[in-house]
Amino acid sequence: KTKLKDAVLIQLLNSELAFSFFNYIFIGEQIKGEEKKAIIAHEEVHVKQKHSIDLLLFEVLRILFWFNPLIYMYQRKIANIHEFIADSEAVKENKTAYYENLLAQVFQTKNVSFINPFFKKSLIKKRIIMLNKTKSKQLNLMKYALLIPMIVGMLFYTSCSEDVVKDNSVEVSKNLERYTVTLE
């Protein structure tokens, strides 16, 4: 065991695994040098942002709502988002070394759904793509914010109809045609 700033680093004997769970970072002793630094930086983000709580919450939801397929999808999406967040924070030091580290790893992890594994075959391509994406500008967010009231206004405008009462008849104008109904 080694105490870090926000976590406890635990060396796994005869292993190349790397993952975090709450305030513990587990890393195999066979991982060396720059790879180890990059993995620890990545896992520290998981620890600081308490991603284990989210993952445990989804495990409880899976137990309670085992019949709902959306829970499984959301859990997978949240795990991916956690990886993207951790990558974006960890890559700030040396981007190219981080890419090389992701691509050079031997993927030998067990699939445990409530831990944050560093190596995951299906995520590597997505993680590299997300590292290269630029953040959306505030102007783009404002466009979406203005779009919603405009759509609501258009729906309100097109759904309004006009009712006019004259004597014992009702005149309804709808779609540019006039219908007169006489009430008796």
Side-chain angles (χ1 to χ4, degrees):
K1 289 182 180 180
T2 308
K3 180 75 175 140
L4 301 174
K5 288 183 261 182
D6 297 321
V8 176
L9 180 68
I10 298 176
Q11 292 277 339
L12 300 174
L13 299 176
N14 299 322
S15 177
E16 291 182 358
L17 296 176
F19 59 92
S20 63
F21 190 67
F22 285 107
N23 290 340
Y24 296 96
I25 298 173
F26 299 89
I27 191 162
E29 70 177 355
Q30 295 176 353
I31 300 171
K32 304 289 182 204
E34 289 298 316
E35 294 174 21
K36 194 173 207 172
K37 286 181 185 177
I39 291 170
I40 291 172
H42 175 94
E43 296 301 333
E44 279 181 331
V45 175
H46 286 304
V47 169
K48 286 178 191 172
Q49 295 192 2
K50 302 190 185 323
H51 290 166
S52 296
I53 294 172
D54 291 342
L55 297 176
L56 278 177
L57 174 69
F58 272 99
E59 285 298 317
V60 170
L61 289 174
R62 277 177 56 179
I63 292 168
L64 295 175
F65 302 107
W66 58 268
F67 52 87
N68 190 346
L70 291 178
I71 296 297
Y72 297 94
M73 281 189 340
Y74 285 139
Q75 183 181 24
R76 202 169 34 251
K77 295 289 183 188
I78 286 293
N80 289 351
I81 289 170
H82 287 169
E83 292 302 317
F84 299 149
I85 290 169
D87 283 339
S88 68
E89 292 295 319
V91 79
K92 289 181 179 176
E93 294 172 17
N94 189 352
K95 210 174 204 178
T96 56
Y98 196 82
Y99 289 152
E100 290 171 5
N101 182 25
L102 280 177
L103 295 173
Q105 296 302 321
V106 177
F107 305 107
Q108 297 177 353
T109 59
K110 294 186 176 37
N111 191 9
V112 180
S113 61
F114 57 87
I115 61 173
N116 292 310
F118 183 75
F119 310 118
K120 202 168 189 182
K121 289 181 184 178
S122 63
L123 269 182
I124 296 298
K125 182 178 177 183
K126 289 180 186 176
R127 286 168 65 181
I128 290 173
I129 289 170
M130 288 301 290
L131 285 171
N132 285 320
K133 282 191 175 184
T134 57
K135 292 186 178 181
S136 60
K137 296 178 183 173
Q138 293 297 329
L139 182 63
N140 291 342
L141 296 175
M142 290 299 292
K143 289 178 186 177
Y144 285 116
L146 292 174
L147 185 66
I148 293 170
M150 193 166 78
I151 290 174
V152 169
M154 289 172 36
L155 288 172
F156 181 74
Y157 178 74
T158 57
S159 66
C160 290
S161 65
E162 190 179 306
D163 293 341
V164 180
V165 177
K166 289 183 183 176
D167 299 327
N168 285 338
S169 66
V170 176
E171 187 177 302
V172 178
S173 102
K174 191 174 186 181
N175 295 337
L176 301 177
E177 297 178 23
R178 294 200 178 268
Y179 300 97
T180 304
V181 177
T182 305
L183 299 174
E184 295 181 20

